[in-house]
Amino acid sequence: MMMSAAPQIVMQAKGLVKRYGQVTALDGADFELRAGEILAVIGDNGAGKSTLIKALSGALVPDDGEIRLDGQPIRFKSPIDARRAGIETVYQDLAVAPAMTIAENLFLGRELRRDGLLGRVFRMLDKKRMLRLSIERMQDLKVGIRSMTQAVETLSGGQRQCVAVARAAAFAQHVVIMDEPTAALGVKEGNMVLELIRRVRDQGLPVVLISHNMPHVFEVADRIHVARLGKRAAVLDPKRVSMSDTVAVMTGALLPEDLPAGSLAH
Amino acid sequence: MMMSAAPQIVMQAKGLVKRYGQVTALDGADFELRAGEILAVIGDNGAGKSTLIKALSGALVPDDGEIRLDGQPIRFKSPIDARRAGIETVYQDLAVAPAMTIAENLFLGRELRRDGLLGRVFRMLDKKRMLRLSIERMQDLKVGIRSMTQAVETLSGGQRQCVAVARAAAFAQHVVIMDEPTAALGVKEGNMVLELIRRVRDQGLPVVLISHNMPHVFEVADRIHVARLGKRAAVLDPKRVSMSDTVAVMTGALLPEDLPAGSLAH
Amino acid sequence: MSTTTLSPPAVTTMRALHDKLPPLGTLGPLVALLAACVFFATQSDRFLTGANLSLVLQQVMVVGVIAIGQTLIILTAGIDLSCGMVMALGGIVMSKFATELGLPPALAIACGIAVTTLFGLINGLLVTRIKLPPFIVTLGTLNIAFAITQLYSNSQTVTELPPALTALGNTFTFAGTEVAWGALLMLALFGLAWFVLRETAAGRHVYAVGNNAEATRLVGIPTQRVLLGVYVIAGLFYGIASLLSVARTGVGDPNAGQTENLDAITAVVLGGTSLFGGRGVVLGTLVGALIVGVFRNGLTLMGVSSIYQVLVTGVLVILAVAADQLSRKGAR
Amino acid sequence: MSTTTLSPPAVTTMRALHDKLPPLGTLGPLVALLAACVFFATQSDRFLTGANLSLVLQQVMVVGVIAIGQTLIILTAGIDLSCGMVMALGGIVMSKFATELGLPPALAIACGIAVTTLFGLINGLLVTRIKLPPFIVTLGTLNIAFAITQLYSNSQTVTELPPALTALGNTFTFAGTEVAWGALLMLALFGLAWFVLRETAAGRHVYAVGNNAEATRLVGIPTQRVLLGVYVIAGLFYGIASLLSVARTGVGDPNAGQTENLDAITAVVLGGTSLFGGRGVVLGTLVGALIVGVFRNGLTLMGVSSIYQVLVTGVLVILAVAADQLSRKGAR
Amino acid sequence: ADAPVIGLITKTETNPFFVKMKEGAAEAAKAKGAKLLSGAGKADGDNAGQITAIENMIAAGAKTILITPSDSKAIVPAIKKARALGVMVIALDSPTDPAEATDALFATDNYRAGVLIGQYAKAALGGKPAKIVMLDLFPGHPVGAQRHNGFLKGFGLAAPDAKSNELGKAPEIVCMADSFGDQAKGQTAMENCLQKAPEVTVVYTINEPAAAGAFNALKKAGKEQGAIIVSVDGGCQGIKDVGAGKIAATSQQYPLKMAAMGVEAGVEYAKSGKKVAGYTDTGVTLIAAKAVGGVDSKDVAAGTSLCWGKK
Ligand SMILES: Nc1ncnc2c1ncn2[C@@H]1O[C@H](COP(=O)(O)OP(=O)(O)OP(=O)(O)O)[C@@H](O)[C@H]1O
Ligand SMILES: Nc1ncnc2c1ncn2[C@@H]1O[C@H](COP(=O)(O)OP(=O)(O)OP(=O)(O)O)[C@@H](O)[C@H]1O
Ligand SMILES: [Mg+2]
Ligand SMILES: [Mg+2]
């Protein structure tokens, strides 16, 4: 990241709060995503990472706090609003329709219509084209899936993950958010996804990556957002902080202010 | 592992085959688990790992092949048979009942009854005791879950994982099988599970660990079973093989016979 | 370190208290029932008398007992359309066996209950062994039980039953009110079902099967046996309902049970049990059955003509559940 | 590297071929229907005549069109108990508007269809806005539609309809057989529903909502709007069924539709659509409706007395689905 | 030649009244060497089911169809179609509207059946105040309306005419409820009415199962002495209940007779091509255990010997 020009902020949140009955999942969390960066979000189980990104992607409406996109305050009332704003998300509890085929899942909600009358008047789907594009997309990820017309419920856990990742990467216009996209993936497939994340960033789209895999995080992240007890505990610079210090901050063993100077990201 | 005495074989499978329509998930897979060891099973997505351990745990009946437990040929017709034989399994697609509480899920199928008449005649459950034991069990795993009487569906992804792992570790008598138990876990929780796996092994129970996390595998495994295209490609010795060679075998980039001498486990 | 992640005692106590209260799923219907009662009490001073309430209890006892069986089945994500017809067949069998065949009443009753239990067993076997959808299976047995009932009874009501068959229709005086033994039996059965579902492993397994059948199987619970057991026990409850129906009307009626199918399911759903299985409380079913009974009784007391009763019932059913739903939203 | 993990072309071709065939879920009921036809053809030489088969088609046209709407709703994991009653109300409205109010037939028909569509809208709003279970909502509107039908018609059958209202009951001759226009309309509507469900985004969204509503929402599909649309369109289909019913019987009948509720659901389930949503094919529903119609017709031709028909239907429903299920097991 | 095929379509499968009718038809068919097809609606009021049955029976070769119309008007177009195909259609038990839609009608007058028990109840009540409970069939059923209104007429109250489908109302009626012609529901309805209006002197019931249910409810409340129950049908069980004092009086009808006459006419039509025509009243007889002045009635013995047309 260049330190010279003030970095442009794409997405920003301040003081987000979300309660589930007695449980406070988000307790005044802040968030900041800059143009063209990969922002890793890490934290213990239950630290509120998924809740945070659900608030950012319109999957839930926070009880309090403010979200800004490109400096404009926004209020997503549903995932549709977020999608319209060009934000694509891979959810942790994979949002797929198990009885539908892989191709259908990839294009769910953005189906392609045929050209000409058939498409415009009869609104017929262009299944052939969607199938072809699906195959290309999945080959990009180097996933060995035999047929795009097989139902998602017949896939292995990692293969399902790939479907969700491929979908988000293919359609994002503005921001890509991924909640543990590599959790169920094999080494090869995991690396493909990291590669894909880099490619997306290099096309200019900022990526939010939630992951428990520290090597992955340190491999790709430009900045690391540490979530802890529903808040943002710190934002670290992976080039200047050690993995063990990061884990220590994450688990609360070390306070951010006790970190070696320069560990915090700007 | 000591090389002297011939190691005792707890569980063994030969030529397992499982087909799903056109897809052959297992294509003559072999398997061998020794007393007191941690056996890691690794492989690409779709390599047939989950299918293999489902065959071993009675969750599915293989189309062909033979399984032996302590040298005796067995045929599990259902998970109940495997459970009776003391085999406990954590499945990848977490086998939990979402609307039921954590405590209930932990003791599902092995509920404790009250002492005395209430238990023997009225078959009343000892909910208090189960609750207490659940709390202890989860504290062992250092999981910060607020109430054991909350429904599993209200937990974060990683917290659910912990419930499944705690259940298997607590009840196993003979063999523990875990399909990607650390996939959704944070660093802390992940290390706790590895620690737990070691503890189980040290109590004398062999553990089968499926994982895509190579550092984890190399940290705890005594031997590494590499699955590839529905077969067992090789069994490696983590003390004598490098991580990169392992990954190369796993992805098919390297044939096992081309490995440096001594890489294969005995 | 474990103490830092565990929550402070205040929260724990709050939650423990919260856990003690019935879930809103049960509370909602109860509120609707109470609201209905308050409303009817303002409309008719006869409504809130012991005699009238005892009457309502008697009127719902048959549907109530059927609905216990139905609750069990719906908790496993199934459904039983045959319940009313099977109940009618049981009633015909016990009354004909006691009169025409001249069997001792106890034996005749046992035979009737055995027949309904057998139907439960057939339903269960078709669902578990051949894996047919419960809807289809019980649609089939609905027709079969109906046809057998009509053929065996020749569509004739069976009368002049020995008093033992109708004993449950008799009443005893409690606090100045006549209470039917059958109503008491229904309450006892609800209590029993509640206890078993809540406090025993078998009961929890019923919930688990309905909640996630595959997970339950993988955990090592014999899901097929649980399911089969549920259908058989439901059949047993239908048999008891047969006896109650015979006791209440004093005859073996081949046309009994025709509306009980939908009524029983309605009671279960009004009581807050999910048709998708795994969620619900059997006492909610009792409340659901009472709601239907109280509406019918209260509207008649108000002198609402029958077609308007249908209209009002339709509106009230929706309102009752909507109030429940909206109150839950508010609580969140 | 990507080519090594992709499967050999032979397998791909096999699979492509396999994908072209209808899923077994549709094939099973079809086999059952054909088996029934073959059986009845051996029992009665009147069965396999064009006139008789055209008759069966006429007899199922009302239930068939209702069942299209019901299929849509069941695909979203809902259920509509009100379908038959709403259909009856539509019939009364269009026939009374055309006779008593003297509206032009086309306008009267439009009003009738508007009323059923309005009921669909109400069902849909209650399901989507207040999030009530469809079972309860439609149980309520079932009662409401019934009461309004009886009140508005004063329980009187409406006769002396203008010919335009009954035109769909008229026949034309095709290949020497009299075919009713209404039967043709039903087939066309099935074709339309099949096309939309299979070939358009809206149709796929219906499946997605029933399959995993939360995932569908997260993907950015307005699930509530899809659901609402489904209920409204179902109401529209019920309106068309009203017209068919009026055309078939030649009168506006306030007691129509009472058995169509269960019949329509039966047709959908017999046709292989899952009551849990997201799985099924609308053409299966046509087959399911035909199975019921063929049984009734064939058994009457055989001279089976009506109570035995009930018995046989019960057994056959189970057998038809069981054969389907067992054949699928074999195929695995 | 083949045996003539005759179709019998009842309202439902299950009402003992129609079961008797079917038995009568089967016996007559056997005696005359005819083949009897039977069909029914799925429920009372199921017009579409009856239309389907007509079509299927014609397809099966029936030349005569006997039908108890569930809906007197709604069935007419289907009957017209059948007659256009040369099928003789005879209405049993209740007429179509218009009555000329069928070739012939063998029936009881339900309105008159109501009038008879209304007159009886009025006379038996003597000077006591009339507090009437009406246990009807269910909303919208024409037979329910005819019997109901007939009863009111016989009782001397204002009532709609025989063609109306509307249930007449009067200040003397203290409670109206539906029994669905079913004993258990009749009992429930009566129980609720007794809560509303404990002082009941007359109970009108749509049929004898409903009457038995009403009696149960009265007996449980200890009021069986104070109220007169009247009913319609005259089934053997119902007559027994009259004998036992549960029901004061009932209007007896003759389904076996209707059916037997219908089958005979059908066989004759097949043989000679001669159709029957017009209305044949198979009669209504008031059966009462205690005769009251000014109203003709027969006793239980006579009722038992005739119950439902047993000869
Ligand atoms: N629907 C819900 N109802 C009640 N509590 C919930 C719900 N969803 C989340 N929570 C609670 O909110 C807290 C934060 O959950 P969240 O899913 O955001 O954690 P996370 O950081 O994503 O964890 P993980 O790494 O395990 O996925 C947890 O304690 C969880 O139990
Ligand atoms: N129920 C099923 N129906 C059809 N195909 C299936 C089914 N289950 C698994 N398969 C196929 O079998 C193959 C092996 O699946 P399996 O789940 O064993 O892989 P895995 O090694 O566990 O992968 P992962 O690491 O992604 O979990 C995959 O190609 C998968 O698509
Ligand atoms: Mg998460
Ligand atoms: Mg797997």
Side-chain angles (χ1 to χ4, degrees):
Chain A
M1 298 236 68
M2 270 154 289
M3 304 276 148
S4 50
Q8 198 199 331
I9 294 175
V10 176
M11 203 169 195
Q12 193 176 29
K14 280 224 181 87
L16 293 181
V17 175
K18 177 73 197 176
R19 288 184 210 89
Y20 293 106
Q22 266 86 31
V23 180
T24 304
L26 286 183
D27 189 13
D30 299 329
F31 178 84
E32 197 187 281
L33 177 68
R34 299 181 183 168
E37 76 168 345
I38 296 175
L39 176 73
V41 176
I42 65 171
D44 276 348
N45 292 127
K49 305 180 295 297
S50 297
T51 309
L52 172 66
I53 64 110
K54 279 188 183 159
L56 299 177
S57 69
L60 58 80
V61 180
D63 298 330
D64 201 0
E66 149 184 287
I67 302 174
R68 283 167 182 271
L69 191 67
D70 293 329
Q72 299 300 313
I74 45 164
R75 239 185 112 67
F76 292 145
K77 274 193 244 69
S78 83
I80 309 165
D81 298 339
R83 204 190 107 205
R84 291 225 182 88
I87 300 172
E88 286 292 328
T89 311
V90 177
Y91 293 96
Q92 185 172 11
D93 37 8
L94 301 178
V96 290
M100 302 182 78
T101 69
I102 300 169
E104 284 181 334
N105 264 286
L106 280 177
F107 284 89
L108 197 56
R110 320 158 168 90
E111 291 83 357
L112 304 177
R113 286 207 217 119
R114 292 213 192 181
D115 295 330
L117 264 191
L118 282 178
R120 253 177 306 122
V121 180
F122 296 104
R123 319 200 128 239
M124 248 181 114
L125 295 176
D126 195 342
K127 293 190 174 179
K128 281 225 189 81
R129 191 145 61 96
M130 288 194 283
L131 194 59
R132 209 185 55 233
L133 289 174
S134 302
I135 293 173
E136 282 172 19
R137 205 53 72 214
M138 295 306 270
Q139 281 189 354
D140 278 0
L141 280 177
K142 304 242 162 54
V143 189
I145 294 181
R146 290 175 174 103
S147 158
M148 288 299 134
T149 54
Q150 89 194 65
V152 164
E153 62 198 340
T154 67
L155 294 181
S156 81
Q159 290 169 333
R160 280 183 213 197
Q161 188 76 267
C162 288
V163 173
V165 170
R167 178 169 64 192
F171 294 103
Q173 305 286 330
H174 206 136
V175 175
V176 181
I177 304 177
M178 299 192 181
D179 195 351
E180 308 197 20
T182 61
L185 296 190
V187 174
K188 191 178 66 181
E189 292 83 357
N191 287 333
M192 293 296 158
V193 169
L194 292 187
E195 180 55 41
L196 181 86
I197 290 176
R198 278 204 210 88
R199 268 208 310 267
V200 169
R201 189 251 327 259
D202 295 346
Q203 286 161 16
L205 293 184
V207 179
V208 180
L209 169 69
I210 299 183
S211 179
H212 289 300
N213 189 320
M214 289 300 132
H216 282 178
V217 166
F218 275 79
E219 202 180 322
V220 299
D222 296 312
R223 295 190 309 145
I224 301 176
H225 167 135
V226 182
R228 183 160 168 72
L229 300 174
K231 294 198 176 67
R232 178 170 69 178
V235 182
L236 307 178
D237 182 342
K239 283 177 216 69
R240 291 152 168 268
V241 72
S242 71
M243 215 183 269
S244 56
D245 279 351
T246 308
V247 172
V249 172
M250 193 170 96
T251 56
L254 195 66
L255 290 179
E257 43 273 35
D258 300 337
L259 279 173
S263 300
L264 296 184
H266 300 263
Chain B
M1 298 233 70
M2 270 155 287
M3 304 277 147
S4 50
Q8 199 198 327
I9 295 173
V10 177
M11 203 171 196
Q12 193 177 27
K14 280 221 180 88
L16 292 181
V17 175
K18 177 72 196 177
R19 288 184 209 90
Y20 292 106
Q22 266 85 31
V23 180
T24 303
L26 286 183
D27 189 13
D30 299 330
F31 178 84
E32 197 186 282
L33 176 69
R34 298 180 186 169
E37 76 167 349
I38 297 175
L39 176 72
V41 176
I42 64 172
D44 276 349
N45 291 126
K49 304 180 295 298
S50 296
T51 309
L52 172 66
I53 64 109
K54 278 189 184 158
L56 298 178
S57 70
L60 58 78
V61 180
D63 299 330
D64 201 359
E66 151 184 286
I67 303 174
R68 282 167 182 269
L69 191 68
D70 294 329
Q72 300 299 316
I74 45 163
R75 238 185 113 65
F76 292 145
K77 274 192 244 72
S78 84
I80 308 165
D81 299 339
R83 204 190 107 206
R84 290 225 181 89
I87 300 171
E88 286 293 330
T89 312
V90 177
Y91 293 95
Q92 187 172 10
D93 36 7
L94 300 180
V96 289
M100 302 180 79
T101 70
I102 300 170
E104 284 181 334
N105 265 285
L106 281 176
F107 284 89
L108 198 55
R110 320 162 169 87
E111 291 83 358
L112 303 178
R113 286 206 217 119
R114 291 214 192 179
D115 296 328
L117 263 189
L118 282 178
R120 253 177 306 123
V121 179
F122 297 104
R123 319 199 127 240
M124 250 181 114
L125 296 176
D126 194 341
K127 292 190 173 176
K128 282 225 188 83
R129 192 146 61 97
M130 290 194 282
L131 194 59
R132 210 186 53 232
L133 289 173
S134 303
I135 294 174
E136 281 173 20
R137 205 54 72 213
M138 296 305 272
Q139 281 191 353
D140 279 359
L141 280 178
K142 304 241 159 61
V143 189
I145 294 182
R146 289 178 175 102
S147 158
M148 289 298 134
T149 53
Q150 90 194 65
V152 165
E153 62 199 342
T154 67
L155 295 181
S156 81
Q159 291 168 332
R160 280 184 215 197
Q161 188 76 267
C162 288
V163 173
V165 170
R167 179 168 63 193
F171 293 104
Q173 304 287 329
H174 206 137
V175 175
V176 180
I177 305 178
M178 299 193 180
D179 196 350
E180 308 197 20
T182 60
L185 295 190
V187 175
K188 192 178 65 179
E189 292 83 356
N191 286 333
M192 292 297 158
V193 169
L194 292 188
E195 181 54 40
L196 181 85
I197 290 175
R198 276 204 211 90
R199 266 209 311 268
V200 169
R201 190 251 328 258
D202 294 347
Q203 285 161 16
L205 293 184
V207 179
V208 181
L209 168 69
I210 299 183
S211 179
H212 289 301
N213 189 319
M214 288 301 132
H216 282 178
V217 166
F218 275 78
E219 203 180 322
V220 299
D222 295 312
R223 296 190 307 145
I224 301 175
H225 167 136
V226 182
R228 186 164 165 70
L229 301 175
K231 290 198 179 67
R232 179 171 69 180
V235 182
L236 307 179
D237 183 341
K239 283 175 214 71
R240 292 150 169 269
V241 72
S242 72
M243 217 184 271
S244 57
D245 280 352
T246 307
V247 171
V249 173
M250 194 171 95
T251 56
L254 195 66
L255 290 180
E257 43 271 35
D258 301 336
L259 279 173
S263 300
L264 297 184
H266 299 266
Chain C
M1 187 184 263
S2 62
T3 45
T4 60
T5 49
L6 283 173
S7 51
V11 174
T12 322
T13 324
M14 282 276 292
R15 183 157 269 280
L17 189 74
H18 182 261
D19 292 341
K20 288 257 157 52
L21 292 173
L24 273 163
T26 349
L27 218 55
L30 199 61
V31 170
L33 176 61
L34 291 181
C37 286
V38 168
F39 173 74
F40 287 125
T42 63
Q43 296 298 309
S44 161
D45 47 2
R46 293 177 199 277
F47 179 79
L48 264 193
T49 60
N52 190 51
L53 295 182
S54 156
L55 199 61
V56 172
L57 219 52
Q58 271 179 60
Q59 290 170 354
V60 302
M61 71 186 182
V62 176
V63 165
V65 172
I66 294 178
I68 297 176
Q70 188 71 255
T71 306
L72 292 177
I73 290 176
I74 291 181
L75 276 178
T76 66
I79 194 154
D80 189 350
L81 301 178
S82 72
C83 57
M85 295 303 158
V86 170
M87 186 275 279
L89 177 58
I92 285 296
V93 167
M94 57 182 73
S95 52
K96 286 201 65 137
F97 277 26
T99 52
E100 282 187 15
L101 298 191
L103 293 190
L107 191 58
I109 293 172
C111 289
I113 296 181
V115 167
T116 62
T117 312
L118 179 70
F119 261 85
L121 180 70
I122 294 172
N123 283 339
L125 286 175
L126 288 168
V127 168
T128 55
R129 293 294 155 86
I130 320 194
K131 310 240 181 305
L132 300 187
F135 187 93
I136 289 287
V137 168
T138 57
L139 182 68
T141 47
L142 152 79
N143 284 312
I144 295 171
F146 174 74
I148 296 179
T149 306
Q150 297 297 337
L151 288 171
Y152 179 51
S153 71
N154 210 357
S155 299
Q156 302 291 329
T157 305
V158 185
T159 54
E160 281 148 42
L161 306 182
L165 255 69
T166 56
L168 285 173
N170 300 339
T171 55
F172 63 96
T173 313
F174 175 78
T177 305
E178 301 268 297
V179 182
W181 289 106
L184 205 68
L185 176 63
M186 174 191 72
L187 294 179
L189 289 175
F190 266 105
L192 179 69
W194 177 81
F195 174 82
V196 170
L197 281 174
R198 198 184 142 97
E199 296 294 337
T200 74
R204 301 319 295 169
H205 293 177
V206 171
Y207 280 87
V209 167
N211 200 221
N212 186 342
E214 178 62 8
T216 309
R217 187 182 78 90
L218 289 178
V219 151
I221 291 172
T223 47
Q224 301 303 313
R225 219 182 305 154
V226 172
L227 268 180
L228 188 60
V230 161
Y231 281 90
V232 169
I233 289 173
L236 186 68
F237 275 107
Y238 304 156
I240 299 174
S242 305
L243 181 59
L244 286 176
S245 162
V246 168
R248 179 165 157 68
T249 57
V251 296
D253 180 2
N255 291 321
Q258 303 207 11
T259 56
E260 270 78 358
N261 283 312
L262 196 57
D263 281 359
I265 299 174
T266 304
V268 176
V269 180
L270 266 182
T273 297
S274 160
L275 282 170
F276 293 92
R279 290 154 207 266
V281 184
V282 73
L283 291 188
T285 301
L286 174 59
V287 174
L290 285 174
I291 290 179
V292 175
V294 162
F295 276 1
R296 190 173 41 204
N297 175 273
L299 290 172
T300 307
L301 289 191
M302 283 173 66
V304 175
S305 97
S306 66
I307 188 71
Y308 284 100
Q309 280 196 26
V310 174
L311 186 67
V312 172
T313 305
V315 174
L316 287 186
V317 161
I318 293 178
L319 283 186
V321 184
D324 176 28
Q325 195 73 10
L326 293 176
S327 75
R328 268 194 262 188
K329 242 189 220 161
R332 265 194 207 139
Chain D
M1 187 186 264
S2 63
T3 43
T4 60
T5 49
L6 284 173
S7 51
V11 173
T12 322
T13 325
M14 282 278 291
R15 183 158 268 282
L17 189 74
H18 182 261
D19 292 340
K20 289 255 156 53
L21 292 173
L24 274 164
T26 348
L27 219 56
L30 199 60
V31 170
L33 176 62
L34 291 181
C37 287
V38 169
F39 172 75
F40 287 125
T42 63
Q43 298 297 309
S44 161
D45 47 4
R46 291 174 196 276
F47 180 78
L48 263 193
T49 60
N52 189 51
L53 295 183
S54 156
L55 195 63
V56 173
L57 219 52
Q58 268 179 63
Q59 291 170 354
V60 302
M61 71 189 183
V62 177
V63 165
V65 172
I66 294 178
I68 296 176
Q70 188 71 257
T71 306
L72 292 177
I73 290 176
I74 291 182
L75 276 178
T76 67
I79 194 153
D80 189 349
L81 300 179
S82 72
C83 56
M85 296 302 157
V86 170
M87 185 274 277
L89 177 59
I92 284 296
V93 167
M94 57 182 70
S95 52
K96 283 201 71 140
F97 278 26
T99 53
E100 283 186 15
L101 299 191
L103 293 190
L107 191 59
I109 292 172
C111 289
I113 295 181
V115 168
T116 62
T117 312
L118 179 70
F119 261 85
L121 180 70
I122 294 172
N123 283 338
L125 286 175
L126 288 169
V127 168
T128 56
R129 292 293 155 88
I130 320 194
K131 311 240 180 305
L132 299 187
F135 187 93
I136 290 286
V137 167
T138 57
L139 183 67
T141 47
L142 151 78
N143 284 310
I144 295 171
F146 175 76
I148 296 180
T149 305
Q150 298 294 341
L151 288 171
Y152 178 52
S153 70
N154 218 344
S155 299
Q156 303 283 351
T157 304
V158 185
T159 53
E160 281 147 42
L161 307 182
L165 254 70
T166 57
L168 285 173
N170 300 340
T171 55
F172 62 95
T173 311
F174 174 78
T177 305
E178 300 268 295
V179 182
W181 288 106
L184 205 67
L185 176 63
M186 173 191 73
L187 293 179
L189 290 175
F190 266 105
L192 179 69
W194 176 81
F195 175 83
V196 170
L197 280 174
R198 199 186 141 96
E199 296 294 337
T200 74
R204 301 318 295 169
H205 293 177
V206 171
Y207 280 88
V209 168
N211 201 221
N212 187 343
E214 178 63 9
T216 309
R217 186 182 79 90
L218 290 177
V219 150
I221 292 173
T223 47
Q224 301 302 314
R225 218 183 307 153
V226 171
L227 267 181
L228 188 61
V230 160
Y231 280 90
V232 170
I233 290 173
L236 186 69
F237 275 107
Y238 303 156
I240 300 173
S242 306
L243 180 59
L244 286 177
S245 164
V246 167
R248 177 164 157 69
T249 58
V251 295
D253 177 4
N255 290 318
Q258 304 207 12
T259 57
E260 270 80 356
N261 282 312
L262 196 57
D263 281 0
I265 301 174
T266 304
V268 175
V269 179
L270 266 183
T273 297
S274 161
L275 282 170
F276 292 92
R279 291 152 206 266
V281 184
V282 73
L283 291 188
T285 300
L286 174 59
V287 174
L290 286 174
I291 289 178
V292 175
V294 161
F295 276 179
R296 193 171 38 200
N297 174 271
L299 290 173
T300 306
L301 290 191
M302 281 173 66
V304 175
S305 106
S306 53
I307 188 73
Y308 284 100
Q309 283 193 24
V310 175
L311 187 66
V312 173
T313 306
V315 174
L316 287 185
V317 160
I318 294 179
L319 282 186
V321 184
D324 177 27
Q325 195 72 9
L326 292 176
S327 75
R328 269 195 260 187
K329 241 190 223 161
R332 265 193 206 141
Chain E
D2 283 351
V5 181
I6 296 170
L8 172 66
I9 301 170
T10 49
K11 289 182 193 173
T12 67
E13 300 294 347
T14 59
N15 190 323
F17 185 88
F18 297 124
V19 174
K20 272 288 156 206
M21 187 180 266
K22 212 153 80 182
E23 274 174 17
E27 261 171 48
K30 210 167 156 197
K32 306 268 176 195
K35 184 178 170 197
L36 184 77
L37 303 176
S38 71
K42 274 202 186 148
D44 212 334
D46 179 11
N47 183 57
Q50 289 199 328
I51 293 179
T52 300
I54 292 178
E55 291 169 345
N56 285 342
M57 285 178 177
I58 296 171
K63 285 278 168 277
T64 299
I65 289 179
L66 314 173
I67 183 168
T68 61
S70 253
D71 184 322
S72 54
K73 283 186 198 166
I75 197 69
V76 168
I79 291 178
K80 267 193 199 141
K81 274 188 210 156
R83 290 181 70 194
L85 294 172
V87 175
M88 176 169 75
V89 180
I90 301 174
L92 302 185
D93 181 44
S94 42
T96 50
D97 181 9
E100 302 75 49
T102 54
D103 288 282
L105 167 68
F106 302 159
T108 313
D109 185 342
N110 278 305
Y111 194 79
R112 194 173 134 64
V115 169
L116 289 178
I117 54 174
Q119 289 169 342
Y120 181 90
K122 175 89 187 165
L125 194 61
K128 275 204 274 178
K131 294 198 166 155
I132 307 172
V133 167
M134 305 289 292
L135 297 186
D136 293 307
L137 192 51
F138 57 78
H141 199 286
V143 170
Q146 286 155 16
R147 291 182 182 176
H148 176 109
N149 293 336
F151 170 85
L152 294 185
K153 175 110 200 210
F155 204 88
L157 302 170
D161 68 17
K163 292 224 158 156
S164 170
N165 231 358
E166 222 173 313
L167 299 179
K169 297 196 176 67
E172 285 81 357
I173 299 177
V174 292
C175 185
M176 256 166 81
D178 290 337
S179 69
F180 295 81
D182 172 77
Q183 175 156 349
K185 291 195 188 61
Q187 185 173 335
T188 299
M190 189 66 209
E191 286 168 348
N192 288 340
C193 279
L194 279 176
Q195 289 300 316
K196 178 171 186 244
E199 310 303 327
V200 171
T201 53
V202 176
V203 182
Y204 155 87
T205 57
I206 181 69
N207 65 2
E208 286 140 4
F215 178 78
N216 270 355
L218 283 166
K219 191 165 164 212
K220 279 202 177 130
K223 291 178 177 160
E224 73 269 31
Q225 299 303 332
I228 302 165
I229 303 178
V230 292
S231 193
V232 180
D233 264 2
C236 300
Q237 180 61 44
I239 298 298
K240 242 190 243 169
D241 286 345
V242 173
K246 293 182 182 176
I247 302 174
T250 189
S251 285
Q252 187 171 51
Q253 307 184 8
Y254 303 99
L256 274 178
K257 198 159 143 196
M258 298 172 196
M261 285 169 61
V263 170
E264 277 163 29
V267 172
E268 179 63 33
Y269 176 54
K271 254 193 238 153
S272 63
K274 224 170 74 196
K275 290 186 182 180
V276 288
Y279 172 41
T280 309
D281 189 348
T282 50
V284 188
T285 314
L286 185 69
I287 308 290
K290 276 183 271 172
V292 292
V295 184
D296 278 343
S297 66
K298 292 206 168 143
D299 64 5
V300 174
T304 307
S305 73
L306 286 173
C307 69
W308 280 353
K310 193 159 56 179
K311 282 170 214 165

